[in-house]
Amino acid sequence: MELSDLPPEIILIILDFIETTAALNAICLVSKKFCAIAQPLLYHEIILGPGDVLLSILLLCRTITTCPLI
């Protein structure tokens, strides 16, 4: 049995323990199934960087408009 054979609810419980955005981002690249499960966790909380806030907002808007599922 592979991890991808588990029900999405179980995978979500496992992924909920991951705390870094880099790890969640990497999981999103594994497969469409993992991306669909991990992406809401990845974008659950949005923190704008201390640098160029306007650029961060523009990039956030671009991401939201190109990926309406998040």
Side-chain angles (χ1 to χ4, degrees), residues 3 11 14-15 18 20-39:
L3 184 62
I11 296 172
I14 295 168
L15 296 182
I18 297 175
T20 64
T21 56
L24 285 172
N25 186 39
I27 290 169
C28 286
L29 300 175
V30 170
S31 69
K32 290 181 180 181
K33 178 179 181 177
F34 282 108
C35 185
I37 298 169
Q39 209 169 41

Side-chain angles (χ1 to χ4, degrees), residues 34-50:
F34 282 108
C35 185
I37 298 169
Q39 209 169 41
L41 294 173
L42 184 61
Y43 290 100
H44 178 74
E45 180 179 5
I46 299 171
I47 300 170
L48 299 177

Side-chain angles (χ1 to χ4, degrees), residues 32-68:
K32 290 181 180 181
K33 178 179 181 177
F34 282 108
C35 185
I37 298 169
Q39 209 169 41
L41 294 173
L42 184 61
Y43 290 100
H44 178 74
E45 180 179 5
I46 299 171
I47 300 170
L48 299 177
D52 189 357
V53 176
L54 182 59
L55 178 61
S56 295
I57 292 171
L58 289 173
L59 292 173
L60 173 63
C61 290
R62 183 189 69 182
T63 300
I64 290 171
T65 57
T66 58
C67 303

